[in-house]
């Protein structure tokens, strides 16, 4: 068995699934605040595409934990994106932990993404209407 045979999932596409207690409320948030419209829908689910990947919101009776980043976007200019989303009413998380502190909603994180040739990342986090914690990150080269 060679390495390619063991890495059968490496050939697959990854898609995030986020719980939503109220799909109509979530649809409005993603449209009005993030400017995203579903590309497909079915009873109990909405499918979105961003940058060649996809994520789905699914009807769930359970609450999103919101204790960790459940999905994130890599962007070229985190400051511009944060400013635009703030104008649309998105509220960014304030973080004040040892080694991780936001200033104006953005944290400087040393050492993230060396595999991408970066020396760190600038990142920001916000919650969607359902309590899912979402992130935006810009690699710092």
């Amino acid at each position: 068995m060679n390495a390619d045979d063991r890495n059968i999932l490496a050939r697959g596409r990854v898609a995030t699934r986020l719980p939503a207690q109220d799909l109509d409320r979530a649809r409005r948030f993603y449209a009005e605040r993030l400017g995203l419209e579903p590309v497909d829908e079915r009873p109990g689910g909405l499918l979105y595409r961003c940058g060649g990947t996809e994520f789905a919101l699914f009807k769930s009776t359970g609450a999103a934990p919101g204790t960790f980043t459940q999905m994130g976007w890599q962007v070229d200019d985190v400051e511009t994106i944060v400013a635009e989303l703030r104008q649309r009413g998105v509220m960014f998380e304030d973080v004040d932990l040892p080694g991780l502190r936001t200033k104006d909603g953005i944290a400087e994180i040393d050492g993230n993404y060396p595999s991408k040739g970066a020396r760190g990342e600038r990142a920001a986090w916000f919650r969607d209407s359902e309590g899912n914690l979402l992130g935006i990150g810009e690699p710092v080269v």
Side-chain angles (χ1 to χ4, degrees):
M1 180 179 285
N2 66 38
D4 287 339
D5 293 337
R6 288 190 306 270
N7 296 324
I8 59 173
L9 290 178
R11 294 187 298 267
R13 291 180 35 174
V14 175
T16 299
R17 304 289 186 247
L18 298 172
Q21 290 186 338
D22 185 328
L23 277 177
D24 291 331
R25 177 178 62 203
R27 178 196 298 265
R28 283 190 307 277
F29 176 88
Y30 280 80
E32 294 169 7
R33 303 287 194 263
L34 307 184
L36 299 173
E37 296 290 339
V39 296
D40 195 10
E41 61 184 280
R42 62 173 173 73
L46 303 171
L47 180 67
Y48 294 84
R49 288 202 180 102
C50 299
T53 61
E54 51 187 45
F55 71 93
L57 297 173
F58 67 94
K59 177 93 173 119
S60 173
T61 57
T67 57
F68 57 88
T69 306
Q70 294 166 261
M71 181 175 73
W73 286 267
Q74 181 177 320
V75 299
D76 294 330
D77 184 349
V78 72
E79 283 184 14
T80 298
I81 300 294
V82 166
E84 174 66 29
L85 292 177
R86 274 192 173 133
Q87 288 181 343
R88 296 179 187 184
V90 173
M91 303 289 291
F92 284 85
E93 298 286 303
D94 288 321
V95 179
D96 189 1
L97 300 170
L100 184 64
R101 179 171 290 130
T102 55
K103 180 179 178 188
D104 296 326
I106 299 172
E108 305 280 339
I109 308 167
D110 291 331
N112 271 14
Y113 301 116
S115 63
K116 294 182 179 184
R119 61 178 170 77
E121 177 184 29
R122 300 182 73 223
W125 297 270
F126 64 94
R127 295 180 193 283
D128 70 6
S129 61
E130 308 309 297
N132 296 301
L133 186 60
L134 308 176
I136 301 169
E138 173 190 353
V140 176
V141 291

